[in-house]
Amino acid sequence: MSVKITDTSLRDAHQSLFATRMRTGDMVPILETIDNVGFHSLEMWGGATFDSCMRFLDEDPWERLRVIRKYVKNTKLQMLLRGQNIVGYKNYPDDVLEEFIKKTVANGMDIIRIFDAVNDLRNMEKAIEFTKREGAHAQGTICYTISPVHNNNVFVQFAKDLKETGCDSICVKDMAGLLSPYKGYDLVKRLKEEVGLPVQIHSHSTSGMATTTYIKSIEAGADIVDTTISPFALGTSQPPVEPVEAMLSETEKELELDGDALTEMSEYFKGMKKKYEKYSKLAFTVDTNVLNYQVPGGMISNLTSQLSDANAIEKYDEALQEIPKVREELGYPPLVTPTSQIVGSQAVLNVLTGERYKMISEEVKNYVAGYYGKPPHEIDPTLKERILQEKEEFTGRPADHLEPQLDKARNEIEQYLEQEEDVLSYCLFPNVAMEFFKKRQEGKINASEDNVEPEPEKEKAEASGNGKSGTDS
Amino acid sequence: MSVKITDTSLRDAHQSLFATRMRTGDMVPILETIDNVGFHSLEMWGGATFDSCMRFLDEDPWERLRVIRKYVKNTKLQMLLRGQNIVGYKNYPDDVLEEFIKKTVANGMDIIRIFDAVNDLRNMEKAIEFTKREGAHAQGTICYTISPVHNNNVFVQFAKDLKETGCDSICVKDMAGLLSPYKGYDLVKRLKEEVGLPVQIHSHSTSGMATTTYIKSIEAGADIVDTTISPFALGTSQPPVEPVEAMLSETEKELELDGDALTEMSEYFKGMKKKYEKYSKLAFTVDTNVLNYQVPGGMISNLTSQLSDANAIEKYDEALQEIPKVREELGYPPLVTPTSQIVGSQAVLNVLTGERYKMISEEVKNYVAGYYGKPPHEIDPTLKERILQEKEEFTGRPADHLEPQLDKARNEIEQYLEQEEDVLSYCLFPNVAMEFFKKRQEGKINASEDNVEPEPEKEKAEASGNGKSGTDS
Ligand SMILES: [Co+2]
Ligand SMILES: [Co+2]
């Protein structure tokens, strides 16, 4: 029985390596080829791409979705949805979520991968319900992490809850590349036996384990794994598809991919890598910080830039060691958007001010008060008590305290409205969207299809190595 | 039962990534730390390092061996010996081989990994005999390759022959990174069951499979695997040690390495990577050419530079496809020094002249006439017939036709001789050694211990990426 592949080249790969900067016009020329490879699905929307389109690329994210759908006729399109956070960094009211999913599916989305940073089902259940109602595939996600309160029992139970809530499949989302081959094997085996839904593994090569974890997970029965094309692979991105294909080719789980289309895709993305690598902050190597501190690659680069901004890069080691402490005090949330930012920024504050929790960020206060959902474990009592003196605790479903937002938003952007989707863009990122709308009205926005990253001005100087370097011998 | 690690940072890693340019003075400051990690052995000599020391670094390779031995008191030292080719590119007479091994062991070598490019035992048996006689560990090597005439039966039989000849252990040398996890599993299992010697796996990350192949090989019973420290890992180099350690940490095959020493080593080599990456020609990514054409990374870079020198880089694809054809016509030799150069250069000739075998290199003629040993399979009859019209076939042990060389060499360099080892350096690389001796006599050679690569003149400009790139979500 063949294993299936979700290709992440158009979303997670460039989000992980190139600051989510890939433009639609650079995707268009290769879309029909990608469509011919035979992938199960293309992850090509959601996550940070929505924000990035308007904020950095002068693009309409909805137009990107329609353009890709136009050229990708056979392969399923897939997105990453942050549960009640949609594609933003905080909870949005149900009316925005509902309309967002409606428009997303109407514009051509097939599969919606839904996660919540603290694995709180209440932050996911509406998204699952709306996705099912629109006729799309709802994939329920387990955010994988390591802590004294996380183990395979907890994850399997959560998967059962997701199935109960209506999910069509389960994704094990290992955003930091922490899932080891043997833990992965056990988890997948149990999910297959005890839950019975298709299981998809999403990992990152950050710590150097992901490719092996895929192979062991497939041995345990995983149905789909997330890879990317080799020029966009490794480092903090996904494992490359080519070796996974080669390794499985001699087993009964052989992939059914079109080799010529894959080669063409690889050649194309080599060119893209040259254009976009200027956005890369991280070396394409193994990040041992992940293994030592369980801090994912994206957090490392945020940490570095926050410390640099504060002229305090010498506190790097201290800040790195502070992250697991803050995470423990906040009840061991998995480190993924937005908890990665919440934990990381507080760790930097703790180190910069010279006194732990001398200053507490608004996000930490909201998190502790329950506005992000129920943390996996109890919050440090002293910290909690202190914060609840100024902020009332909220134990209900986080989105329940939020007022509907759509109608008011529609009124506010009336003069700029060109499509119903604009209301959603505005609800999600009011300032960024407003700037985008103004530019658009001034005719300063290009069609997505024509929006390409400029070629680098000059080729890098040739590397100077030479001599009789043989082939390892 | 714990698995053991051979660290290749001081030999294969910088040979594979940085054109064998690492200098002894850059090794010295970290040697005691490396010695404390708990590696089974350090591969730190042989291969291309001997040539490179004199040719590019103005260093005495023998002095490097003594310096490393001085600082590495506990860990075994290991070298790669090209069988009758010693550390050169052709066969040398037995008296040179015997003296070389004598001096190598006398200067502190513990383990000698012996290979022959076409797996011809006759090119290895003297090296094995001399190594045993000097009291060192003789590791017999199987050069792994894929072809219609290579399979695990062939490899297991060869391992039995190696055991018979006196080898203490078996190395599966996968110089191109072609050994897949499942083929590796089968091969190791059979070697353990049918041969019974300790089995060590040496692979390269070139195709993206090696880390997984190590894990599956260890599941099958491999005793030792070759890794390097993460900054010197991946691409055409070895897999990094850190994820291998992490993956095995939850099994009964847990590595017993000192984490602090390993972290210190990693930090140090990060700095080395910055200094040496100017010698790197290859991206740290997955080379799909290996998977498609079975052409290892080192050959790709040689191919590129030979075509560039001839102003014919547009023939790259043609040349790439020519390599497997030439290899087939030459009886499927594994592609490793020197067969990789022999096959690669002839492929370039075939493409540049516009007519296959219009010109035939001297090396191909010698290879076909039997001077490199017995090819794995019959040579193309037309080609063979043509070459044997001008060159007599030789079917004996290749070194048997060679006259002893030591005494004559000693006379020739009498006025430069400072140590007996100089005679060997001269036998191996007469021109390069002579230049080195002259410089040395003029006082222009620094002590190895002080020979460091200069720091790069300026830091690379900061990459320009920024923005709200989260941790995959
Ligand atoms: Co090697
Ligand atoms: Co991801």
Side-chain angles (χ1 to χ4, degrees), chain B residues 216-228:
Chain B
K216 291 299 294 181
S217 298
I218 288 167
E219 287 184 0
D223 302 277
I224 316 168
V225 296
D226 286 13
T227 66
T228 182

Side-chain angles (χ1 to χ4, degrees), chain B residues 37-331:
Chain B
V37 171
F39 293 119
H40 164 70
S41 66
L42 309 181
E43 198 203 45
M44 39 52 77
W45 211 64
T49 63
F50 194 98
D51 183 10
S52 176
C53 270
M54 290 191 292
R55 191 186 297 265
F56 301 117
L57 311 180
D58 289 340
E59 268 193 40
D60 177 11
W62 299 98
E63 196 185 341
R64 171 178 295 185
L65 170 53
R66 288 188 291 264
V67 166
I68 295 178
R69 181 76 285 175
K70 184 172 79 176
Y71 291 103
V72 177
K73 296 194 168 65
N74 306 307
T75 314
K76 292 193 184 99
L77 299 186
Q78 179 166 337
M79 77 166 290
L80 181 65
L81 188 89
R82 296 166 176 161
Q84 202 78 30
N85 288 356
I86 308 183
V87 289
Y89 307 96
K90 56 168 194 165
N91 286 316
Y92 295 94
D94 292 335
D95 68 330
V96 176
L97 178 68
E98 183 169 13
E99 181 70 6
F100 183 91
I101 289 172
K102 214 177 261 181
K103 288 290 182 231
T104 298
V105 177
N107 278 289
M109 191 63 64
D110 299 300
I111 300 171
I112 302 186
R113 175 178 290 170
I114 301 160
F115 81 91
D116 175 64
V118 291
N119 290 327
D120 187 336
L121 192 62
R122 301 170 306 165
N123 290 330
M124 302 166 72
E125 60 193 21
K126 288 288 176 188
I128 295 165
E129 179 193 331
F130 300 145
T131 300
K132 294 300 296 172
R133 191 202 292 158
E134 296 306 312
H137 178 115
Q139 182 169 72
T141 303
I142 303 166
C143 285
Y144 181 80
T145 191
I146 295 175
S147 89
V149 301
H150 288 93
N151 55 54
N152 284 353
N153 290 335
V154 172
F155 295 132
V156 169
Q157 182 54 53
F158 187 51
K160 287 179 183 169
D161 298 343
L162 289 169
K163 184 182 184 186
E164 192 79 9
T165 314
C167 288
D168 300 298
S169 64
I170 298 294
C171 173
V172 179
K173 177 180 170 68
D174 174 29
M175 50 278 174
L178 292 171
L179 182 63
S180 72
Y182 296 103
K183 289 260 169 61
Y185 183 94
D186 290 342
L187 179 54
V188 171
K189 207 161 180 58
R190 288 192 55 186
L191 289 173
K192 291 298 291 183
E193 285 170 8
E194 300 177 37
V195 185
L197 289 179
V199 172
Q200 179 156 11
I201 309 291
H202 174 88
S203 186
H204 288 252
S205 296
T206 323
S207 75
M209 302 194 292
T211 303
T212 310
T213 298
Y214 280 4
I215 294 297
K216 291 299 294 181
S217 298
I218 288 167
E219 287 184 0
D223 302 277
I224 316 168
V225 296
D226 286 13
T227 66
T228 182
I229 195 76
S230 56
F232 271 35
L234 297 179
T236 51
S237 180
Q238 267 69 58
V241 63
E242 297 91 340
V244 172
E245 186 190 30
M247 292 189 284
L248 295 176
S249 69
E250 45 200 44
T251 74
E252 57 182 6
K253 312 225 173 175
E254 191 171 4
L255 303 183
E256 286 158 9
L257 302 181
D258 181 319
D260 291 339
L262 207 57
T263 301
E264 204 179 312
M265 185 180 167
S266 173
E267 286 304 315
Y268 183 82
F269 277 89
K270 272 184 203 163
M272 288 301 111
K273 185 175 184 176
K274 279 193 188 144
K275 280 173 78 169
Y276 285 99
E277 65 188 348
K278 64 184 170 192
Y279 296 111
S280 171
K281 277 192 274 195
L282 292 155
F284 289 78
T285 181
V286 162
D287 184 349
T288 49
N289 289 314
V290 172
L291 295 171
N292 295 337
Y293 303 101
Q294 299 167 12
V295 173
M299 280 188 77
I300 297 280
S301 64
N302 283 348
L303 188 69
T304 313
S305 66
Q306 286 178 21
L307 289 172
S308 297
D309 291 351
N311 249 327
I313 195 68
E314 75 281 1
K315 302 212 168 174
Y316 176 81
D317 282 344
E318 208 184 324
L320 193 61
Q321 286 161 38
E322 179 69 10
I323 289 174
K325 285 186 212 159
V326 173
R327 178 169 173 247
E328 178 179 349
E329 286 151 348
L330 295 185

Side-chain angles (χ1 to χ4, degrees), chain A residues 11-12 173 202 204 238, chain B residues 472:
Chain A
R11 203 283 298 177
D12 201 354
K173 178 180 170 66
H202 175 87
H204 288 252
Q238 267 70 60
Chain B
D472 164 40

